[in-house]
Amino acid sequence: GENVEQHPSTLSVQEGDSAVIKCTYSDSASNYFPWYKQELGKGPQLIIDIRSNVGEKKDQRIAVTLNKTAKHFSLHITETQPEDSAVYFCAANSPRTSSNYKLTFGKGTLLTVNP
Amino acid sequence: EAGVTQFPSHSVIEKGQTVTLRCDPISGHDNLYWYRRVMGKEIKFLLHFVKESKQDESGMPNNRFLAERTGGTYSTLKVQPAELEDSGVYFCASTSGSLNEQFFGPGTRLTVL
């Protein structure tokens, strides 16, 4: 089945700096890659997603890049703010299974933005 | 529009007891998923309902776990009997279909003592 690796597990940056989180996946058939942000006491919330027909997607300070050949995708947050502090999860879908839309998640990255 | 809701938010039970978790998806969402995050590890898929039918239950750990979605609306996940390793946060998510955003509930934190 699909396997998703995520790095780093923790990331501390100064306010205003950029943060980059990287993920790799194993199943070349995966074609949907969402990123979720989880704040304390809340469920994961989608912040951006990318499908395999594009290489990059941007939404204000957040961008995601996808390299299908290398099977890796990355989250980029620019001009970080303290409210960006949270756990971030990458995920990939599993087209080869009976549940195309089920997600396999990375282990998460705890991002801390220091004022 | 109300989001995905889960009940209870927390549950503390003794090993060997039974617990039932409930998930109410967003109204009209046919697809309902259960996931679990155990002690700082990754969020793992448990099963997927399409309406009242189980589309994929390959992630269910063992036969102590039983999920139902009678009528295709809310879903329950029962753990009987609970073991220590069942402790974790159980998330429910729903989507209207296709490769759309999965909306997650706030989770139920289960602690088995």
Side-chain angles (χ1 to χ4, degrees):
Chain A
E2 176 69 281
N3 183 49
V4 176
E5 299 285 340
Q6 181 172 349
H7 298 279
S9 56
T10 61
L11 178 60
S12 182
V13 300
Q14 289 300 123
E15 182 177 359
D17 288 350
S18 294
V20 180
I21 303 171
K22 299 183 179 182
C23 289
T24 60
Y25 60 99
S26 60
D27 190 348
S28 57
S30 294
N31 55 7
Y32 176 63
F33 308 91
W35 285 89
Y36 284 84
K37 173 183 180 182
Q38 186 181 12
E39 296 175 294
L40 201 61
K42 298 183 179 180
Q45 181 179 15
L46 181 77
I47 55 172
I48 195 166
D49 56 14
I50 190 167
R51 300 174 194 273
S52 59
N53 57 343
V54 298
E56 185 174 359
K57 184 176 178 180
K58 191 173 181 180
D59 182 5
Q60 298 182 11
R61 297 186 297 108
I62 295 172
V64 57
T65 58
L66 171 65
N67 183 326
K68 289 168 53 181
T69 303
K71 288 188 285 187
H72 67 69
F73 55 114
S74 300
L75 177 72
H76 303 252
I77 306 174
T78 59
E79 300 172 25
T80 54
Q81 301 167 2
E83 52 264 38
D84 294 329
S85 297
V87 179
Y88 290 81
F89 293 96
C90 62
N93 71 324
S94 303
R96 300 188 202 270
T97 68
S98 56
S99 177
N100 177 27
Y101 319 127
K102 78 178 184 187
L103 299 176
T104 300
F105 286 83
K107 290 188 177 181
T109 296
L110 174 60
L111 172 65
T112 303
V113 180
N114 302 299
Chain B
E1 176 184 85
V4 177
T5 57
Q6 293 186 245
F7 181 83
S9 57
H10 293 86
S11 181
V12 181
I13 60 173
E14 299 278 336
K15 174 184 172 181
Q17 290 185 322
T18 297
V19 63
T20 300
L21 314 181
R22 173 169 170 148
C23 167
D24 286 77
I26 292 173
S27 178
H29 281 192
D30 288 338
N31 293 273
L32 187 150
Y33 301 81
W34 283 98
Y35 294 89
R36 175 174 77 168
R37 189 180 190 210
V38 175
M39 277 302 291
K41 295 189 176 180
E42 66 269 31
I43 300 170
K44 282 198 168 184
F45 168 82
L46 296 178
L47 86 159
H48 170 205
F49 282 101
V50 177
K51 296 185 180 178
E52 68 275 8
S53 300
K54 292 176 184 175
Q55 180 75 15
D56 183 344
E57 52 184 331
S58 61
M60 295 287 263
N62 50 60
N63 59 9
R64 295 186 294 103
F65 288 75
L66 175 64
E68 295 180 320
R69 193 183 182 195
T70 306
T73 54
Y74 71 90
S75 175
T76 58
L77 179 65
K78 182 163 72 173
V79 185
Q80 179 183 30
E83 298 290 342
L84 299 179
E85 63 265 26
D86 300 333
S87 296
V89 182
Y90 290 77
F91 292 106
C92 173
S94 73
T95 181
S96 56
S98 186
L99 283 177
N100 294 332
E101 173 182 358
Q102 290 189 24
F103 292 87
F104 279 75
T108 293
R109 180 173 295 278
L110 174 64
T111 302
V112 183
L113 303 175

